[in-house]
């Protein structure tokens, strides 16, 4: 199965308008002519619109870092799928470990977000990952199974073309510690097998599964060479144009 690679940058709570426009322009420039893979940026909400203008006409996709399941209403602090699409956003990151851990977003909320995103036509970049304690306690697969089943509950098989899964071991996010290519491949293959059980093999084979956790220019090539790793969700290194451009151009 030929899955189109996806290199996604999550800027988290970084960049003012000026920084964001400059960074987006540099990334847009190095993405010119990149046609065999998707490049995506998830800037803070405050700069989505400006970044969309900077990227206009480029092939870089825009995403929000989270999304609500409702189109509008009394949801202070949230952003709706139609707000995201209204500025040209095509995707939303959902269930990032920082949302789960710091802001206590639970499985039910995350599932509502995934369902809301796909209902309104966004690509849901659905994140899962175990903590160090869970890995050391030999609970990695159990935890991931729980997260994947809960997060994708009620998602129709035909909506799975709007879902990208991101495996992000919590212990590897922002720590400089990357899962080895073997550890990452093992989990990606597990998730794909699980998707085949939940949906069907063809669907599982077509879903892109990204790896995230300290992806950098010097480890992206070996990670991307794994058969079940279809891309990367990048935090820190996505804030540096040179590093992210190298990641986009993995070989
Ligand atoms: C992330 O925030 O999704 C992430 C993987 O961060 P980093 O690349 O900095 O580990």
């Amino acid at each position: 199965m030929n899955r189109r690679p996806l290199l996604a940058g999550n800027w988290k709570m970084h960049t003012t308008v000026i920084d964001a426009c400059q960074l987006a322009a540099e990334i847009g420039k190095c993405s010119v002519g990149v046609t065999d893979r998707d490049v995506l940026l998830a800037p803070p909400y405050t700069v989505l619109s400006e970044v969309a203008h900077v990227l206009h006409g480029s092939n870089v996709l825009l995403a929000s870092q989270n999304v609500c399941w409702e189109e509008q209403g009394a949801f202070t602090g949230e952003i709706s799928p139609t707000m995201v699409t209204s500025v040209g956003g095509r995707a939303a990151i959902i269930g990032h470990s920082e949302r789960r851990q710091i802001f206590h977003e639970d499985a039910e909320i995350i599932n509502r977000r995934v369902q809301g995103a796909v209902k309104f036509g966004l690509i849901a970049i659905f994140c899962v990952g175990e903590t160090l304690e869970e890995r050391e306690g030999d609970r990695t697969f159990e935890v991931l199974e729980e997260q994947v089943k809960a997060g994708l509950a009620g998602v129709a098989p035909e909506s799975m073309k709007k879902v990208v899964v991101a495996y992000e071991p919590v212990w590897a996010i922002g720590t400089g510690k990357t899962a080895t290519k073997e550890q990452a491949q093992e989990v990606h293959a597990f998730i794909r097998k699980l998707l085949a059980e939940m949906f069907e093999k063809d669907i599982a084979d077509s879903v892109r599964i990204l790896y995230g956790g300290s992806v950098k220019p010097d480890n992206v090539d070996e990670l991307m060479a794994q058969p079940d790793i279809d891309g990367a969700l990048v935090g820190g290194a996505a804030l540096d144009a040179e590093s992210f451009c190298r990641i986009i151009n993995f070989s």
Side-chain angles (χ1 to χ4, degrees):
M1 171 68 69
N2 229 355
R3 292 178 293 267
R4 189 174 164 85
L6 168 61
L7 294 310
N10 171 15
W11 290 357
K12 308 194 185 191
M13 198 174 73
H14 293 285
T15 67
T16 59
V17 175
I18 291 175
D19 307 331
C21 290
Q22 197 177 330
L23 184 55
E26 288 175 50
I27 293 169
K29 212 187 315 166
C30 76
S31 302
V32 172
V34 175
T35 53
D36 61 344
R37 54 199 74 183
D38 289 331
V39 179
L40 174 148
L41 293 177
Y45 305 143
T46 47
V47 296
L48 274 173
S49 190
E50 282 82 358
V51 169
H53 281 112
V54 171
L55 294 176
H56 185 73
S58 84
N59 48 4
V60 180
L61 304 168
L62 192 64
S64 59
Q65 294 178 17
N66 206 349
V67 75
C68 190
W69 51 92
E70 292 287 347
E71 226 183 330
Q72 59 181 357
F75 296 94
T76 303
E78 290 285 324
I79 186 167
S80 82
T82 38
M83 289 172 181
V84 177
T85 52
S86 74
V87 292
R90 302 270 304 277
I93 297 174
I94 297 171
H96 191 281
S97 70
E98 286 149 19
R99 298 305 313 174
R100 293 178 190 260
Q101 298 209 312
I102 306 171
F103 299 99
H104 307 292
E105 288 196 12
D106 63 15
E108 194 205 321
I109 289 277
I110 290 164
N111 176 244
R112 290 173 86 171
R113 292 189 189 283
V114 171
Q115 295 208 39
V118 297
K119 175 174 164 196
F120 289 102
L122 287 174
I123 295 167
I125 303 177
F126 165 55
C127 306
V128 294
E130 81 287 2
T131 63
L132 185 59
E133 196 187 347
E134 289 161 347
R135 178 162 278 268
E136 288 179 346
D138 240 346
R139 297 187 51 227
T140 299
F141 296 109
E142 177 196 329
V143 167
L144 289 170
E145 182 166 345
E146 244 172 63
Q147 290 180 356
V148 171
K149 284 189 169 162
L152 299 180
V155 174
E158 61 274 18
S159 298
M160 284 302 290
K161 38 180 179 311
K162 287 297 214 179
V163 174
V164 169
V165 177
Y167 167 55
E168 299 207 301
V170 179
W171 48 272
I173 297 178
T175 58
K177 250 193 206 175
T178 319
T180 63
K181 56 185 192 307
E182 292 83 7
Q183 282 172 322
Q185 167 56 28
E186 184 185 30
V187 170
H188 282 230
F190 171 79
I191 293 173
R192 202 174 303 285
K193 189 165 148 277
L194 188 59
L195 293 175
E197 287 162 19
M198 292 171 64
F199 299 95
E200 55 186 71
K201 189 169 182 309
D202 278 4
I203 292 175
D205 283 344
S206 64
V207 171
R208 289 181 288 185
I209 307 178
L210 314 183
Y211 169 77
S214 299
V215 174
K216 298 199 173 54
D218 61 7
N219 58 25
V220 65
D221 296 341
E222 61 176 24
L223 287 162
M224 289 304 297
Q226 302 307 304
D228 287 291
I229 299 184
D230 308 312
L233 180 53
V234 185
L239 289 168
D240 178 75
E242 198 182 329
S243 296
F244 194 59
C245 290
R246 168 64 184 89
I247 290 170
I248 292 168
N249 286 295
F250 75 87
S251 56

